[in-house]
Amino acid sequence: MDIVEFFQEYNGTLAVLISIVIALIAFYNYIVVRRSEERGRQYDRYHRLLEDLNIRNQGDAPFIDRQIAVVYELRNFPEYYPVTLRILKRSLAHWRYLEQTSKILNDRVNTLFSEAELTIRFIKEYYEVRSYLCLDNGEG
């Protein structure tokens, strides 16, 4: 059987296979584009949260409550855990300094400290579990 006879005999099957391959390539491209768009949205959300965390305010209670919520929400961005740890550790030091120099005196600030420490602990436990399960890819 030469190639011409092969194509004549299996032209229907080949057409279906080629159609399936083209559909799979289109589906793969769709998934890649969607993932890229989602990464862009995640990036924007993460940076808006960081902006909310670092906006200066006069230490009023609603603002501190918002900061507490932002610190908690940072747990939802595992791809940013390494930088989140560094930011929270630096912010904790800064907040403690402000508290010690009496620039902010508020019971809710202690809640912000606690939430930041809980989030740091959460992220560290995440890395311990990944390391235990051999899923660590060298980050953090």
Side-chain angles (χ1 to χ4, degrees), residues 59-75:
D60 56 341
F63 177 73
I64 290 176
D65 289 340
R66 190 165 121 199
Q67 281 184 311
I68 291 167
V70 166
V71 168
Y72 179 82
E73 282 298 315
L74 291 175
R75 298 176 186 193

Side-chain angles (χ1 to χ4, degrees), residues 60-120:
D60 56 341
F63 177 73
I64 290 176
D65 289 340
R66 190 165 121 199
Q67 281 184 311
I68 291 167
V70 166
V71 168
Y72 179 82
E73 282 298 315
L74 291 175
R75 298 176 186 193
N76 295 321
F77 298 91
E79 65 272 19
Y80 295 108
Y81 278 175
V83 71
T84 299
L85 278 175
R86 292 190 297 271
I87 289 169
L88 287 178
K89 287 177 182 177
R90 183 184 46 112
S91 295
L92 268 174
H94 178 71
W95 296 330
R96 290 199 192 286
Y97 169 77
L98 290 177
E99 182 185 47
Q100 291 169 356
T101 58
S102 299
K103 291 185 180 175
I104 52 174
L105 295 171
N106 193 329
D107 292 337
R108 294 183 183 207
V109 173
N110 289 332
T111 307
L112 178 60
F113 294 156
S114 298
E115 194 60 49
E117 289 168 346
L118 286 170
T119 298
I120 289 170

Side-chain angles (χ1 to χ4, degrees), residues 10-71:
Y10 296 106
N11 65 354
T13 306
L14 289 173
V16 169
L17 287 176
I18 290 171
S19 298
I20 290 172
V21 167
I22 291 172
L24 289 174
I25 290 170
F27 181 71
Y28 173 78
N29 285 333
Y30 172 78
I31 296 297
V32 167
V33 168
R34 295 289 294 177
R35 282 186 181 170
S36 177
E37 290 171 351
E38 181 59 27
R39 269 187 255 125
R41 284 191 293 274
Q42 285 283 88
Y43 176 86
D44 291 340
R45 282 193 297 259
Y46 180 79
H47 286 276
R48 266 187 266 123
L49 284 173
L50 289 181
E51 185 178 318
D52 288 347
L53 181 63
N54 291 310
I55 290 176
R56 299 289 179 234
N57 202 334
Q58 300 303 317
D60 56 341
F63 177 73
I64 290 176
D65 289 340
R66 190 165 121 199
Q67 281 184 311
I68 291 167
V70 166
V71 168

